[in-house]
Amino acid sequence: SQQGEEDPQALSIQEGENATMNCSYKTSINNLQWYRQNSGRGLVHLILIRSNEREKHSGRLRVTLDTSKKSSSLLITASRAADTASYFCATLDQAGTALIFGKGTTLSVSS
Amino acid sequence: DAGVIQSPRHEVTEMGQEVTLRCKPISGHDYLFWYRQTMMRGLELLIYFNNNVPIDDSGMPEDRFSAKMPNASFSTLKIQPSEPRDSAVYFCASSSRRPYYGYTFGSGTRLTVV
């Protein structure tokens, strides 16, 4: 069963613009992770934010976490065509071991 | 390290045939996961292993599915007999608990059952 739900399902922007994707989850978490999937490839780990963190940066990525609202957002600044991919949030299952993924946001960046 | 290696990349088989998917995790990773991805259902966790031992197989859809991990460097996912609704992309991923850098996914096996 899905723990995280991404919003929007699809997003189209121009190069140089910022892209924001949101994730809502249902139960309490230890951490929340974001992954990217390029077409025809496996998922790649982008960033992890712990439940006691509110914001985290990695290069052009900024992730926020609001545990009171059970939501997270991923911001990609100054997007590039190479950022075109699907982005997934993931949280741990009840046993705290295996990641459960949302259905993802498909981002298209046109030049 | 070459990353998580899955084979074959593509598999087309007829309904009723046995299908075996293979995975070589990253050396030193003690967790191995099998996921299935479809447009309708997204990424579904099928089963995972810790130190070669199956921990949770509650995601395996039916008895037609089985998975093994005979050693730390090899795992298989078998479907017997295969059905058209098994068509999907099957991913293997591995990770370590400490240090934790997220999951490393293979490139997947695209299975088509006709």
Side-chain angles (χ1 to χ4, degrees), chain B residues 5-50:
Chain B
I5 300 172
Q6 290 188 246
S7 65
R9 283 299 310 273
H10 302 274
E11 177 81 41
V12 180
T13 191
E14 291 186 347
M15 184 174 65
Q17 296 296 307
E18 177 179 299
V19 175
T20 299
L21 312 181
R22 297 173 176 79
C23 174
K24 176 178 166 53
I26 288 179
S27 176
H29 281 188
D30 51 356
Y31 282 87
L32 183 140
F33 307 84
W34 283 99
Y35 287 87
R36 176 172 71 175
Q37 186 176 39
T38 60
M39 289 294 292
M40 289 296 294
R41 301 175 68 89
L43 268 162
E44 300 175 276
L45 175 66
L46 299 177
I47 185 172
Y48 69 93
F49 297 81
N50 177 216

Side-chain angles (χ1 to χ4, degrees), chain B residues 1-111:
Chain B
D1 202 322
V4 175
I5 300 172
Q6 290 188 246
S7 65
R9 283 299 310 273
H10 302 274
E11 177 81 41
V12 180
T13 191
E14 291 186 347
M15 184 174 65
Q17 296 296 307
E18 177 179 299
V19 175
T20 299
L21 312 181
R22 297 173 176 79
C23 174
K24 176 178 166 53
I26 288 179
S27 176
H29 281 188
D30 51 356
Y31 282 87
L32 183 140
F33 307 84
W34 283 99
Y35 287 87
R36 176 172 71 175
Q37 186 176 39
T38 60
M39 289 294 292
M40 289 296 294
R41 301 175 68 89
L43 268 162
E44 300 175 276
L45 175 66
L46 299 177
I47 185 172
Y48 69 93
F49 297 81
N50 177 216
N51 292 323
N52 315 337
V53 176
I55 302 301
D56 185 352
D57 66 355
S58 60
M60 297 284 260
E62 299 170 36
D63 291 345
R64 298 184 296 106
F65 286 69
S66 62
K68 294 182 180 179
M69 192 165 185
N71 57 62
S73 58
F74 185 64
S75 177
T76 59
L77 178 68
K78 187 176 293 186
I79 308 172
Q80 164 67 8
S82 58
E83 297 183 3
R85 58 194 167 122
D86 301 331
S87 297
V89 181
Y90 291 80
F91 287 103
C92 173
S94 69
S95 76
S96 64
R97 179 58 70 92
R98 291 184 178 85
Y100 181 76
Y101 295 119
Y103 288 12
T104 302
F105 279 77
S107 295
T109 295
R110 180 174 295 277
L111 173 66

Side-chain angles (χ1 to χ4, degrees), chain A residues 50-68:
Chain A
R50 302 188 191 286
S51 59
N52 62 353
E53 297 176 309
R54 290 297 168 259
E55 189 171 310
K56 198 163 183 179
H57 296 254
S58 177
R60 293 183 297 112
L61 304 181
R62 172 179 167 246
V63 171
T64 61
L65 180 65
D66 187 336
T67 53
S68 66

